[in-house]
Amino acid sequence: MRLLIKNGRVIDPGSKQDEVMDLLIEDGKIVKKKLSIEDNLKELVTIDATGCFVMPGFIDLHVHLREPGFEQKETIASGASAAARGGFTTICAMPNTKPVIDNADKVRFVLNKAAQVAPVNVCQVGAITVSQLGEKLADIEGMAKAGAIAISEDGKSVMNVKLYEEAMKLAKKCEIPVMAHCEDKNLVGAGVLNKGEKATQLQVEGISNLVEDVIIARDIMIAKETNAKLHLCHCSTKDSVTLVEEAKKKGIQVTAEVCPHHFALTEDDIINGDTNYKMNPPLRTKEDVKALKLGLKNDIMDVIATDHAPHHESEKAKSLKEAPFGIVGLETAVGLTITELVDKGYLTPMQMAEKLSYNPAKIIGLDKGTLEIGKVADVVIINPDMEYTVDVKDFASMGKNTPFAGMKLKGQVMATIVNGKVVYQYTK
């Protein structure tokens, strides 16, 4: 198949190229960026990208696909379809399914299933401990050999420091990163929202910044000791930015992600009793949000990831105390990034491509995240000026749990291309 993307603003963080040009794709690879009169343009599928960003396909390091075990929330197929609609060409599935992805066979199950049903690339993250119980290391080397691109205990922290140190040593040996959910379970208690005015007002227990910051500091020190690659998931506090900045100055191999909900909302935005605002880490203060935005702007924080966490409607219909943590994010990430960061001057379009594609690819060792000639044609086309209202009825995800329903955003994904094949195209 030959595909021509015409007249788009090609933004390639791999070559630092940012200019209006055509992009020619053949047999799943990018073959030309600038066409000449001698080029044979017959038998082409053509997409007119006038006025649009053309970027390397986005890579989400932090997604919950729920399969196996929680297919009432999401499946590999539905989550991957949501990814395609959101401009993501590669997604990394977290291991907290049922059963937990803690050995090579389970890794292979997800990868094989994804190869059959997913329109995008699906990578699997393996658990750090067996059944995520924090007692015995999972088969980290076996999972890495089976294709796991990282290990994580996402949803909780490994509180046993000695065990965690051994895990980091094995991750270093396997040349894969450790993705850390930073939460001290001894401090979090029965927390529901950020420890602040909103939690007091709603009479629920709060989750302090210390819950996150103390584990970030601990994990950075273990990474320093083991020389492992540490990736900090869903950072939400102002001090997380400071800690990452200081670690990088010391040459420690640490990277960090920020989720769109953590840079787009504060605890002040929470509507009384609406469990779609309940997530972990919780929505923080304006001061925290400002620090996260500046951390992204100043390239301290490396990645934008969604922490896409679908839940069934009946679960989120429970009380604020009883409902599960988590919101969906694959289909709103682009709009939130453009609306809250690009349009407001925090990120350039090039930085957006870096944080959603180029940097994630480097962290997990994928030869993606660029539009250089000869590379696999994973591409996203975005109209940055198109406005739309978030409507959960349009979501491909089975999860509709989002606080952004009804919000007006800018930045419509017009097409998502995986391996040279159009897997999503906007049709309204």
Side-chain angles (χ1 to χ4, degrees):
M1 177 180 173
R2 303 177 75 219
L3 176 64
L4 177 64
I5 302 171
K6 292 179 58 179
N7 305 319
R9 180 181 170 185
V10 175
I11 301 170
D12 178 17
S15 62
K16 300 300 181 185
Q17 195 166 31
D18 182 353
E19 60 181 294
V20 174
M21 65 178 75
D22 298 338
L23 203 67
L24 182 62
I25 296 168
E26 290 184 0
D27 299 323
K29 298 287 182 69
I30 296 166
V31 296
K32 279 202 173 184
K33 288 187 177 181
K34 295 181 180 179
L35 305 186
S36 64
I37 197 167
E38 291 83 13
D39 284 309
N40 177 16
L41 301 182
K42 294 180 180 180
E43 298 180 2
L44 281 175
V45 175
T46 301
I47 297 176
D48 187 351
T50 301
C52 294
F53 295 159
V54 178
M55 295 177 169
F58 297 149
I59 299 169
D60 195 339
L61 295 183
H62 195 155
V63 171
H64 298 274
L65 294 180
R66 304 303 191 196
E67 186 178 354
F70 300 105
E71 288 85 353
Q72 75 277 14
K73 300 172 186 272
E74 190 81 285
T75 64
I76 293 169
S78 64
S81 294
R85 187 172 180 270
F88 291 92
T89 54
T90 299
I91 54 177
C92 301
M94 286 295 170
N96 56 336
T97 50
K98 188 177 181 180
V100 169
I101 308 301
D102 59 6
N103 63 43
D105 286 343
K106 293 170 186 174
V107 170
R108 283 190 284 265
F109 165 80
V110 174
L111 297 181
N112 290 338
K113 182 69 177 287
Q116 297 169 13
V117 303
V120 303
N121 305 297
V122 175
C123 300
Q124 182 62 50
V125 179
I128 295 175
T129 68
V130 174
S131 298
Q132 292 189 306
L133 294 176
E135 298 171 354
K136 179 183 177 182
L137 287 183
D139 180 14
I140 293 171
E141 291 184 274
M143 290 188 292
K145 289 177 183 177
I149 48 84
I151 55 171
S152 179
E153 204 82 336
D154 192 59
K156 59 185 75 176
S157 292
V158 179
M159 297 305 297
N160 183 323
V161 176
K162 182 61 178 173
L163 197 67
Y164 198 38
E165 181 187 25
E166 290 302 313
M168 283 208 189
K169 288 178 180 177
L170 283 170
K172 167 70 175 174
K173 179 181 178 182
C174 296
E175 299 183 326
I176 56 175
V178 177
M179 295 183 172
H181 172 105
C182 294
E183 177 185 46
D184 190 320
K185 70 177 184 181
N186 298 315
L187 291 173
V188 71
V192 175
L193 304 176
N194 181 59
K195 187 177 182 180
E197 292 182 8
K198 187 62 71 168
T200 300
Q201 177 189 330
L202 296 176
Q203 298 181 318
V204 295
E205 190 170 331
I207 302 172
S208 70
N209 285 24
L210 183 63
V211 167
E212 178 175 327
D213 296 339
V214 70
I215 297 295
I216 287 180
R218 182 202 73 166
D219 286 9
I220 287 172
M221 289 299 99
I222 302 173
K224 179 183 178 182
E225 179 69 22
T226 60
N227 201 30
K229 292 181 180 179
L230 174 66
H231 178 73
L232 301 171
C233 296
H234 47 45
C235 294
S236 71
T237 71
K238 61 180 181 179
D239 284 329
S240 70
V241 181
T242 302
L243 288 164
V244 171
E245 183 176 25
E246 290 303 312
K248 287 184 173 183
K249 286 179 181 177
K250 293 176 182 178
I252 301 170
Q253 296 188 87
V254 59
T255 54
E257 72 188 31
V258 180
C259 299
H261 44 273
H262 286 133
F263 65 64
L265 297 172
T266 74
E267 64 174 1
D268 297 336
D269 295 306
I270 298 172
I271 297 173
N272 291 3
D274 188 344
T275 61
N276 287 318
Y277 290 86
K278 182 181 179 182
M279 59 207 68
N280 190 16
L283 299 176
R284 302 291 189 181
T285 66
K286 291 178 181 177
E287 188 179 9
D288 291 305
V289 171
K290 182 71 171 179
L292 293 172
K293 287 182 174 181
L294 290 175
L296 288 165
K297 177 183 176 69
N298 296 325
D299 295 327
I300 298 165
M301 312 305 270
D302 309 86
V303 168
I304 294 171
T306 69
D307 193 8
H308 176 80
H311 290 292
H312 192 272
E313 184 180 2
S314 62
E315 296 172 298
K316 279 292 191 177
K318 295 178 180 179
S319 71
L320 199 56
K321 291 181 180 179
E322 296 175 325
F325 292 100
I327 68 170
V328 291
L330 285 167
E331 294 168 87
T332 52
V334 167
L336 290 167
T337 300
I338 289 176
T339 303
E340 295 295 330
L341 298 180
V342 177
D343 274 8
K344 293 182 179 179
Y346 287 99
L347 293 186
T348 64
M350 182 66 74
Q351 283 180 301
M352 176 182 171
E354 288 170 353
K355 294 181 192 307
L356 280 162
S357 187
Y358 187 70
N359 291 349
K362 287 196 298 182
I363 288 167
I364 57 175
L366 293 184
D367 187 19
K368 294 179 182 289
T370 176
L371 298 176
E372 293 176 281
I373 292 172
K375 298 297 184 181
V376 172
D378 287 356
V379 185
V380 59
I381 302 172
I382 301 163
N383 184 334
D385 298 316
M386 184 179 289
E387 295 184 339
Y388 66 96
T389 300
V390 177
D391 187 345
V392 297
K393 294 194 298 293
D394 295 333
F395 282 4
S397 172
M398 291 169 60
K400 315 300 179 186
N401 48 306
T402 176
F404 300 110
M407 181 178 286
K408 289 186 177 179
L409 299 177
K410 280 179 66 177
Q412 175 65 54
V413 176
M414 305 305 292
T416 304
I417 297 157
V418 177
N419 197 29
K421 178 183 177 182
V422 178
V423 297
Y424 169 79
Q425 195 157 12
Y426 179 75
T427 56
K428 283 190 178 180

